[in-house]
Amino acid sequence: MAKKFDLPDVPWITPEGYLDLTKIPLDDTLRRTVSGDHRELRGAVRVLGSAAHAGRREAGIYLLGLLADLPPDGLEDREHVVQALGYYETASSAAALFGEIRRVKSSNTTRRYLDSVLRSITVLPAPLVRTELEALADDTAFSYKMRAKFREAIWQLREPRT
């Protein structure tokens, strides 16, 4: 027999006791992204990524804007945002991630960040990213190692469910 819990009467908790990310308020989460505290930003971005994945379009749009607003050299904070964007399955999210691949020059300092961007790209549905990944794999402006990573990413793509 399932245990009964005394649950608060709020619309974002289901009768089973789970969070319904399609209904959870995001105001406090949005404030945490601009608090200046890197740990708060990381946690807030995770919530926003989950909410975007659950269908909250406004959370995905906010993540896109946050990425555009963060300092270009603040790779640690940007990394959290690009990870979350991998769960916002839209062409605009794919475009932002590919923009990061083209914007950031590969080096020892940026390698981890670029690998994170590429992982987020491979989480997106294949139809959104395959053509651009194929173009990057053939683009001689990138090093041989980067082009090999792009080819590997193509193999990792998630095909749409039929």
Side-chain angles (χ1 to χ4, degrees):
M1 184 165 158
K3 265 187 168 178
K4 290 284 185 181
F5 296 98
D6 288 330
L7 300 172
D9 188 24
V10 291
W12 58 88
I13 297 182
T14 68
E16 297 81 22
Y18 297 106
L19 282 178
D20 183 348
L21 291 170
T22 64
K23 296 178 182 173
I24 194 167
L26 295 176
D27 292 350
D28 185 57
T29 303
L30 300 179
R31 275 191 290 281
R32 289 179 22 227
T33 65
V34 294
S35 71
D37 182 325
H38 299 288
R39 287 181 24 217
E40 282 202 2
L41 177 129
R42 180 177 59 226
V45 164
R46 284 182 181 160
V47 170
L48 290 169
S50 296
H53 186 64
R56 296 282 297 269
R57 185 169 180 249
E58 68 273 25
I61 292 170
Y62 185 86
L63 287 168
L64 289 167
L66 182 60
L67 182 65
D69 188 60
L70 288 171
D73 59 343
L75 297 183
E76 184 179 338
D77 287 344
R78 293 179 79 80
E79 184 174 355
H80 298 301
V81 177
V82 299
Q83 288 170 351
L85 282 174
Y87 298 99
Y88 182 49
E89 299 179 349
T90 64
S92 56
S93 182
L97 294 169
F98 283 117
E100 288 297 284
I101 290 286
R102 293 197 179 277
R103 181 187 71 81
V104 178
K105 182 85 171 142
S106 181
S107 70
N108 288 339
T109 307
T110 63
R111 184 170 296 123
R112 184 178 125 176
Y113 175 70
L114 289 171
D115 286 346
S116 186
V117 174
L118 197 52
R119 274 191 304 276
S120 291
I121 288 170
T122 63
V123 172
L124 292 171
L128 289 177
V129 298
R130 180 179 303 282
T131 302
E132 183 69 15
L133 272 175
E134 289 170 346
L136 290 174
D138 292 335
D139 189 341
T140 57
F142 291 97
S143 70
Y144 174 80
K145 282 185 174 183
M146 283 301 292
R147 292 193 319 264
K149 286 182 181 187
F150 299 143
R151 284 190 290 279
E152 178 63 27
I154 293 167
W155 284 100
Q156 295 174 10
L157 289 179
R158 177 177 58 115
E159 296 298 329
R161 294 183 187 124
T162 56

